[in-house]
Amino acid sequence: MSRSPHARVRRSPPWSDRVVEGGALFLLIVTPLVYGTVTPWGEALAELVILGMAAAWVLSMVRQGALRVAPPPSVVPGALFLMLVLFQLVPLPRPVVELLSPLAANLHREVAAYAGAALGAVPLSLDPHETWREWLKLLGLAVFFLLLYNTVRTRGQAQRALWTMVVMGTLVSIFAIVQRATWTGRLYWIGPTAPDSAFGPFVNRTHFAGLMIVIVPMALAMILGDRRPSDRPPIVRGWLDQLRRWNAPETGPARLIAFLVLLMGGATLVSGSRGGAVSLLAGLLCMIGLGVRALRGQGRATRVAIATVLIILAAVWISWDILYGTIERLAEEIGHAEASARVHIWGDALGLWRLAPILGTGFATFGEAYPRMRTIEAPVAFGHAESDWVQLLTDTGVAGLGLALATAASLVWALLRRYRRAPSPWVRNMALAGTVALIGTVVQGIGNYNLPILSNQLYLAMGLAMGLRAGDLIHHGRSTRGTELDLADRRGALSDA
């Protein structure tokens, strides 16, 4: 039987795609372990890896003689936000600064008077060095997301990333629980001194919870699966049959994911992070709600509801005392909001925002600007606003907050649209997981500050890219249309034979 000269063969992925995937998996493994990548050397390492991934991708397109870049749904508001932060670093005439940010104009005037120098053009940012550093992180994150959006498009790529995320989430959760039970006051027992709020490799338990808020929905997407009727397990009549089925040779490692979800979710609830616990449960409830509303989604909703209940029971089993203390502190803060330091900071932050309402005081400059409006009398320094959204308002003004919300909204809208129009259950589950991870992160940002934790942002970028694009290609380099052409070619080859 001869083969048609027009018949297509499965092509291996381009070398640049393999470089991008390898760099992404490396970052997923390393970034949570280095304290969430908040140190300068950790940030530099991540940025260099992303730079290498981008260079390989661009070089591959140059060699092919074609520039093919698919813009993600959030490209316009995201790019405008990056431009806004960069604009905060540009020296502007004094009248312009006084109009846009009276606080920045006054501080620059005081510094010039103290130094005995003439006041010339000055930037809007109160700390240009810190704004520039954080802008580089944002740029690296944006490039990372763009690379994944254009390269992670097959089920095999997504499964490798999912397993990496789940394995790392499990290892970090086990390490966090063990380290907490044997706490020595140092990270990794022999590392730098850390506060009691540290959990696992993260200096703050909130940052650990932020990572799990992304991983748990992704792991649940693997549990939901896309089994066809022929793949359904036989009816199990007793616990002995259940045990035999779980130990059957055809049972794969995916059976373990259910237990890993309980471990990671339970560790999140017992981490002590009130915002993390609320955000995780809110994300799971959102996952249940979207499943109930979807056509033939009641089965998924039921499984997620059962998983939610089991996660709570797992947290009770791991440490009922910590879970009860978290609930008690949350209820106390809600019931006595007037005594909450968090609420006082937010009130002061609103006063700070009024001094630079349009473009803010400069990205990541809250620690520099807040002492001007501080009303809390305590021997404690506040470097952030205890809220991603409140700090975005003070750092970047109404313009920056609006662009950030528009970026999140455009991503949620694109994910929900893909969820409703998904060509397969697996693609639908990935879109659902990406939506829930983003919503959980947005909810946690209301009462927690996670913006500088690069590891969490990289995990979220991977989850969003998989939710938006994974499954577009059946094989590397082949689309659904290409598969149809392959079948036609094969039919032609058979007729020729």
Side-chain angles (χ1 to χ4, degrees):
M1 182 173 62
S2 63
R3 185 181 180 89
S4 169
H6 301 290
R8 297 190 179 189
V9 296
R10 183 182 301 181
R11 291 182 293 176
S12 61
W15 67 272
S16 59
D17 285 11
R18 295 196 295 270
V19 171
V20 171
E21 182 181 2
L25 296 182
F26 173 79
L27 291 175
L28 293 180
I29 294 172
V30 172
T31 53
L33 301 179
V34 291
Y35 317 127
T37 315
V38 295
T39 60
W41 63 267
E43 295 170 0
L45 174 63
E47 290 166 0
L48 286 174
V49 172
I50 295 173
L51 179 62
M53 295 163 57
W57 187 56
V58 173
L59 179 60
S60 176
M61 289 190 293
V62 170
R63 293 182 61 182
Q64 295 174 5
L67 185 64
R68 294 184 295 270
V69 180
S74 58
V75 63
V76 174
L80 289 176
F81 184 84
L82 285 173
M83 293 173 62
L84 185 150
V85 175
L86 192 61
F87 179 74
Q88 292 177 328
L89 297 171
V90 176
L92 301 173
R94 185 173 57 185
V96 176
V97 176
E98 290 177 348
L99 175 64
L100 297 176
S101 177
L103 176 61
N106 291 334
L107 289 180
H108 286 302
R109 187 182 301 110
E110 292 176 5
V111 171
Y114 178 80
L119 183 63
V122 294
L124 292 174
S125 175
L126 301 182
D127 190 347
H129 174 75
E130 190 65 20
T131 300
W132 172 251
R133 173 188 168 189
E134 294 298 320
W135 184 81
L136 288 177
K137 287 172 57 178
L138 286 178
L139 179 63
L141 180 63
V143 172
F144 182 76
F145 177 59
L146 180 64
L147 293 172
L148 298 181
Y149 186 80
N150 281 269
T151 58
V152 180
R153 300 181 63 187
T154 69
R155 181 163 178 166
Q157 290 172 312
Q159 287 179 332
R160 288 188 289 272
L162 284 171
W163 273 110
T164 303
M165 296 169 75
V166 171
V167 170
M168 289 305 303
T170 302
L171 294 178
V172 170
S173 298
I174 295 174
F175 167 62
I177 295 173
V178 173
Q179 181 182 249
R180 194 61 187 170
T182 58
W183 182 241
T184 62
R186 294 178 177 273
L187 294 173
Y188 292 102
W189 296 286
I190 58 174
T193 304
D196 290 338
S197 61
F199 201 71
F202 295 91
V203 176
N204 194 304
R205 54 199 172 200
T206 296
H207 305 155
F208 167 85
L211 183 68
M212 295 301 129
I213 288 170
V214 177
I215 298 178
V216 170
M218 296 294 160
L220 283 173
M222 299 176 70
I223 295 177
L224 297 178
D226 61 344
R227 291 182 299 189
R228 295 174 291 276
S230 59
D231 297 332
R232 290 176 181 170
I235 297 176
V236 179
R237 301 187 180 279
W239 66 269
L240 190 58
D241 292 336
Q242 174 76 13
L243 184 61
R244 289 196 186 101
R245 184 167 68 86
W246 275 83
N247 287 276
E250 63 271 13
T251 300
R255 295 287 185 186
L256 295 173
I257 297 178
F259 296 104
L260 303 184
V261 167
L262 299 185
L263 174 63
M264 292 184 289
T268 304
L269 296 183
V270 302
S271 65
S273 172
R274 292 162 290 179
V278 170
S279 302
L280 177 63
L281 295 178
L284 294 175
L285 291 176
C286 177
M287 204 170 194
I288 296 171
L290 290 173
V292 170
R293 293 175 61 88
L295 183 64
R296 298 191 302 272
Q298 287 77 10
R300 288 193 301 273
T302 300
R303 278 178 279 177
V304 175
I306 294 173
T308 302
V309 174
L310 293 178
I311 285 174
I312 297 174
L313 293 178
V316 172
W317 179 78
I318 294 173
S319 180
W320 160 247
D321 294 342
I322 296 179
L323 179 61
Y324 178 79
T326 302
I327 298 173
E328 190 176 37
R329 289 187 296 115
L330 178 62
E332 182 180 356
E333 186 167 18
I334 294 175
H336 301 85
E338 68 281 356
S340 171
R342 193 188 311 267
V343 174
H344 281 288
I345 293 174
W346 293 349
D348 295 343
L350 289 178
L352 176 62
W353 164 70
R354 294 188 184 97
L355 298 178
I358 302 175
L359 298 179
T361 62
F363 192 64
T365 61
F366 184 85
E368 297 290 334
Y370 180 65
R372 291 274 172 168
M373 302 299 298
R374 173 171 174 166
T375 61
I376 300 177
E377 296 182 0
V380 179
F382 296 98
H384 50 80
E386 296 290 346
S387 169
D388 287 334
W389 302 109
V390 172
Q391 183 150 340
L392 279 173
L393 179 63
T394 60
D395 287 357
T396 61
V398 174
L401 179 62
L403 291 173
L405 291 173
T407 302
S410 62
L411 290 170
V412 170
W413 176 257
L415 287 165
L416 290 177
R417 184 174 57 184
R418 182 172 176 82
Y419 173 70
R420 298 189 188 99
R421 303 176 182 178
S424 69
W426 186 84
V427 173
R428 185 179 300 112
N429 292 334
M430 291 304 304
L432 177 62
T435 304
V436 172
L438 179 56
I439 291 177
T441 302
V442 169
V443 172
Q444 190 188 19
I446 297 174
N448 291 140
Y449 184 61
N450 278 318
L451 280 177
I453 313 305
L454 187 56
S455 63
N456 297 6
Q457 310 303 334
L458 294 175
Y459 268 70
L460 179 60
M462 174 63 81
L464 294 176
M466 291 190 295
L468 290 168
R469 300 282 277 181
D472 281 0
L473 300 182
I474 304 301
H475 299 295
H476 281 291
R478 296 183 2 173
S479 64
T480 304
R481 176 179 174 85
T483 303
E484 295 171 355
L485 293 175
D486 284 0
L487 293 176
D489 289 338
R490 290 173 185 175
R491 294 192 191 100
L494 290 175
S495 63
D496 293 340

